[in-house]
mmCIF file of all heavy atoms in Angstrom:
data_model
loop_
_atom_site.group_PDB
_atom_site.id
_atom_site.type_symbol
_atom_site.label_atom_id
_atom_site.label_comp_id
_atom_site.label_asym_id
_atom_site.label_seq_id
_atom_site.Cartn_x
_atom_site.Cartn_y
_atom_site.Cartn_z
ATOM 1 N N MET A 746 -0.302 7.508 2.144
ATOM 2 C CA MET A 746 -0.955 8.809 1.900
ATOM 3 C C MET A 746 -0.060 9.890 2.325
ATOM 4 O O MET A 746 -0.179 11.067 1.879
ATOM 5 C CB MET A 746 -2.253 8.855 2.607
ATOM 6 C CG MET A 746 -3.345 8.046 2.003
ATOM 7 S SD MET A 746 -4.821 8.035 3.022
ATOM 8 C CE MET A 746 -5.126 9.828 3.241
ATOM 9 N N PHE A 747 0.862 9.655 3.289
ATOM 10 C CA PHE A 747 1.594 10.638 3.976
ATOM 11 C C PHE A 747 3.099 10.551 3.701
ATOM 12 O O PHE A 747 3.598 9.480 3.774
ATOM 13 C CB PHE A 747 1.325 10.581 5.473
ATOM 14 C CG PHE A 747 -0.148 10.527 5.799
ATOM 15 C CD1 PHE A 747 -0.698 9.306 6.303
ATOM 16 C CD2 PHE A 747 -0.963 11.606 5.606
ATOM 17 C CE1 PHE A 747 -2.069 9.258 6.523
ATOM 18 C CE2 PHE A 747 -2.269 11.553 5.894
ATOM 19 C CZ PHE A 747 -2.812 10.364 6.361
ATOM 20 N N ALA A 748 3.686 11.680 3.434
ATOM 21 C CA ALA A 748 5.155 11.769 3.271
ATOM 22 C C ALA A 748 5.855 11.581 4.635
ATOM 23 O O ALA A 748 5.469 12.237 5.581
ATOM 24 C CB ALA A 748 5.551 13.060 2.638
ATOM 25 N N SER A 749 6.818 10.669 4.685
ATOM 26 C CA SER A 749 7.407 10.406 5.996
ATOM 27 C C SER A 749 8.575 11.404 6.254
ATOM 28 O O SER A 749 9.697 11.016 6.259
ATOM 29 C CB SER A 749 7.977 8.934 6.006
ATOM 30 O OG SER A 749 8.600 8.669 7.230
ATOM 31 N N THR A 750 8.148 12.636 6.460
ATOM 32 C CA THR A 750 9.161 13.691 6.687
ATOM 33 C C THR A 750 9.362 13.729 8.221
ATOM 34 O O THR A 750 8.625 13.234 9.050
ATOM 35 C CB THR A 750 8.565 15.075 6.300
ATOM 36 O OG1 THR A 750 7.359 15.350 7.072
ATOM 37 C CG2 THR A 750 8.211 15.070 4.803
ATOM 38 N N THR A 751 10.488 14.420 8.630
ATOM 39 C CA THR A 751 10.795 14.497 10.038
ATOM 40 C C THR A 751 9.693 15.218 10.777
ATOM 41 O O THR A 751 9.281 14.860 11.894
ATOM 42 C CB THR A 751 12.078 15.311 10.190
ATOM 43 O OG1 THR A 751 13.170 14.553 9.564
ATOM 44 C CG2 THR A 751 12.474 15.473 11.726
ATOM 45 N N ARG A 752 9.180 16.329 10.190
ATOM 46 C CA ARG A 752 8.099 17.070 10.814
ATOM 47 C C ARG A 752 6.784 16.227 11.064
ATOM 48 O O ARG A 752 6.197 16.314 12.091
ATOM 49 C CB ARG A 752 7.726 18.311 9.913
ATOM 50 C CG ARG A 752 6.621 19.246 10.634
ATOM 51 C CD ARG A 752 7.279 20.105 11.582
ATOM 52 N NE ARG A 752 6.294 20.957 12.273
ATOM 53 C CZ ARG A 752 5.876 22.150 11.817
ATOM 54 N NH1 ARG A 752 6.320 22.599 10.681
ATOM 55 N NH2 ARG A 752 5.006 22.851 12.480
ATOM 56 N N PHE A 753 6.494 15.392 10.034
ATOM 57 C CA PHE A 753 5.313 14.573 10.216
ATOM 58 C C PHE A 753 5.465 13.470 11.183
ATOM 59 O O PHE A 753 4.608 13.198 12.023
ATOM 60 C CB PHE A 753 4.907 13.960 8.846
ATOM 61 C CG PHE A 753 3.632 13.180 8.944
ATOM 62 C CD1 PHE A 753 2.370 13.782 9.150
ATOM 63 C CD2 PHE A 753 3.591 11.786 8.650
ATOM 64 C CE1 PHE A 753 1.213 13.055 9.239
ATOM 65 C CE2 PHE A 753 2.437 11.043 8.823
ATOM 66 C CZ PHE A 753 1.228 11.692 9.074
ATOM 67 N N ARG A 754 6.650 12.938 11.267
ATOM 68 C CA ARG A 754 6.949 11.886 12.295
ATOM 69 C C ARG A 754 6.841 12.491 13.660
ATOM 70 O O ARG A 754 6.373 11.941 14.669
ATOM 71 C CB ARG A 754 8.266 11.222 12.024
ATOM 72 C CG ARG A 754 8.343 10.354 10.736
ATOM 73 C CD ARG A 754 9.601 9.454 10.801
ATOM 74 N NE ARG A 754 10.761 10.195 10.749
ATOM 75 C CZ ARG A 754 11.401 10.630 9.625
ATOM 76 N NH1 ARG A 754 10.870 10.272 8.389
ATOM 77 N NH2 ARG A 754 12.488 11.340 9.679
ATOM 78 N N GLU A 755 7.331 13.731 13.806
ATOM 79 C CA GLU A 755 7.259 14.399 15.101
ATOM 80 C C GLU A 755 5.790 14.642 15.462
ATOM 81 O O GLU A 755 5.418 14.467 16.670
ATOM 82 C CB GLU A 755 8.009 15.761 14.967
ATOM 83 C CG GLU A 755 9.528 15.625 14.943
ATOM 84 C CD GLU A 755 10.204 16.971 14.678
ATOM 85 O OE1 GLU A 755 9.457 18.018 14.441
ATOM 86 O OE2 GLU A 755 11.464 17.007 14.754
ATOM 87 N N ALA A 756 5.014 15.060 14.478
ATOM 88 C CA ALA A 756 3.587 15.282 14.724
ATOM 89 C C ALA A 756 2.891 13.986 15.178
ATOM 90 O O ALA A 756 2.059 14.006 16.100
ATOM 91 C CB ALA A 756 2.899 15.833 13.434
ATOM 92 N N VAL A 757 3.183 12.901 14.518
ATOM 93 C CA VAL A 757 2.582 11.615 14.891
ATOM 94 C C VAL A 757 2.906 11.317 16.315
ATOM 95 O O VAL A 757 2.033 10.872 17.128
ATOM 96 C CB VAL A 757 3.038 10.513 13.888
ATOM 97 C CG1 VAL A 757 2.725 9.155 14.489
ATOM 98 C CG2 VAL A 757 2.442 10.668 12.555
ATOM 99 N N ALA A 758 4.170 11.397 16.693
ATOM 100 C CA ALA A 758 4.607 11.162 18.104
ATOM 101 C C ALA A 758 3.870 11.986 19.124
ATOM 102 O O ALA A 758 3.485 11.552 20.170
ATOM 103 C CB ALA A 758 6.141 11.325 18.229
#
Side-chain angles (χ1 to χ4, degrees):
M746 289 171 52
F747 310 108
S749 183
T750 63
T751 300
R752 183 80 184 274
F753 183 64
R754 291 194 298 270
E755 290 174 353
V757 168

